[in-house]
Amino acid sequence: MHLHFIVHEDFEAPGAYEIWGQNNHCKMTYSRVYLNDPLPSTVEEIDFLIVMGGPQSPDTTVEMCPHFNSLAEQAVIRKAIQANKVVLGVCLGSQLIGEALGAKFEQSPEREVGKFPIMLTEYGLKNSLFSHFGKMTEVGQWHNDMPGLTSDAKIIAFSAGCPRQIVEYSKLVYGLQCHMEHDYKFVNTREELRSHDYQEMNQNLFIFLDKLKDEYLKLS
C-alpha cells in the first residue's frame, strides 16, 4: 500500500495518518510543498492520496504564498479521484477536494480551535466506515472555513460550530474538516490542548483507515 502525503507546512504534519501507515507497513512518500518538493506527476503507483491542512485557503494565490499552488493540487486530486484512488483531505485538504470537484469552499459559521465533539448524521451512523465512532466523538479542530458540497456529497458528521465536519464525496473520497491526526499536544489555551488525551480519537481514525483500505482493495 502506497500513501502519498501533500504537506503544506511543517506544523501541519501527517501525525496519526503516518503512524497508521507505519503500523500497516505502507510505503510513504511526501510532497512537502513548504520545502518546494514537487507534486506527484502521476498517481498510478499511489493508493492513498492524503492532502493535509494549512493556513492557506483554496483561494490563496501563488503570489500570496509562493510554495502553495491551489490549482495544481486540485489537478492532482482530480487525477487520483478519476483513477479510483483513495483521496483524503484534512482541513484545507478537504476544501481542496471540494474545489477539485466544482464545489466552492465556504466560511464556517464558527471558528473552532481546540478539541470539541462532532456528531454523526443519520447517514453517517449507517455508514459502516464510521460505525465505530458512535453518535458523538471528540476530535481536534483548527479552522475558519469548511468544504463545499457537490450534488452527490453526503455529510457524515457535523459539530455545533460547523455543519460539514466529515464529508463523503464518493466511497473512496472523504473530506475531514476536523483534525483526527493530532497525536501531539498542540491552544483551547496552550495548557488545555496539552492536557487532552488523543488516543481514542487516533484509534477511531485507525479503524476508519483500516475499513477504507479494505473498501479500496475490494474495488481495485
Side-chain angles (χ1 to χ4, degrees):
M1 193 67 60
H2 179 182
L3 314 185
H4 186 83
F5 296 95
I6 298 178
V7 187
H8 300 108
E9 304 293 346
D10 60 356
F11 53 83
E12 293 270 9
Y17 290 100
E18 196 171 48
I19 293 170
W20 181 83
Q22 292 166 350
N23 290 342
N24 283 271
H25 310 290
C26 297
K27 176 182 179 180
M28 291 186 283
T29 54
Y30 303 81
S31 294
R32 296 182 177 95
V33 298
Y34 62 94
L35 296 177
N36 296 312
D37 289 349
L39 296 172
S41 57
T42 177
V43 298
E44 294 311 311
E45 295 184 0
I46 295 171
D47 297 301
F48 278 48
L49 176 67
I50 303 177
V51 187
M52 300 307 300
Q56 302 87 351
S57 86
D59 282 346
T60 300
T61 65
V62 174
E63 290 71 30
M64 295 162 67
C65 180
H67 68 256
F68 173 65
N69 188 326
S70 177
L71 295 179
E73 290 194 23
Q74 290 175 45
V76 173
I77 289 168
R78 277 193 296 274
K79 278 185 193 175
I81 292 172
Q82 289 162 3
N84 293 317
K85 308 298 184 178
V86 171
V87 181
L88 295 174
V90 179
C91 199
L92 170 61
S94 71
Q95 298 156 26
L96 288 168
I97 290 175
E99 294 277 326
L101 295 172
K104 185 70 179 170
F105 81 99
E106 298 179 53
Q107 186 173 5
S108 175
E110 299 289 344
R111 182 172 185 251
E112 294 174 301
V113 179
K115 189 184 181 194
F116 302 105
I118 58 171
M119 287 66 73
L120 266 64
T121 61
E122 287 300 315
Y123 178 80
L125 288 167
K126 294 173 184 174
N127 187 313
S128 61
L129 296 183
F130 298 92
S131 57
H132 60 287
F133 278 35
K135 290 184 177 180
M136 184 272 288
T137 188
E138 289 194 335
V139 296
Q141 305 279 6
W142 200 309
H143 70 99
N144 296 308
D145 297 321
M146 61 184 181
L149 298 178
T150 63
S151 59
D152 295 330
K154 295 179 176 65
I155 296 174
I156 297 291
F158 62 96
S159 67
C162 177
R164 304 173 193 168
Q165 283 288 348
I166 302 178
V167 178
E168 178 189 273
Y169 290 100
S170 73
K171 296 303 180 185
L172 297 177
V173 181
Y174 292 88
L176 289 82
Q177 186 57 58
C178 53
H179 292 268
M180 297 188 70
E181 78 280 6
H182 290 173
D183 64 327
Y184 41 83
K185 315 301 186 217
F186 228 170
V187 171
N188 304 42
T189 66
R190 184 174 301 174
E191 291 72 24
E192 286 171 332
L193 276 176
R194 286 176 173 161
S195 71
H196 290 317
D197 182 351
Y198 295 106
Q199 290 184 18
E200 181 179 350
M201 177 181 75
N202 290 168
Q203 193 59 35
N204 278 339
L205 178 62
F206 295 154
I207 295 170
F208 162 67
L209 292 170
D210 286 339
K211 292 177 177 179
L212 187 57
K213 179 185 72 174
D214 291 343
E215 185 75 11
Y216 172 63
L217 292 173
K218 232 180 2 181
L219 297 173
S220 296

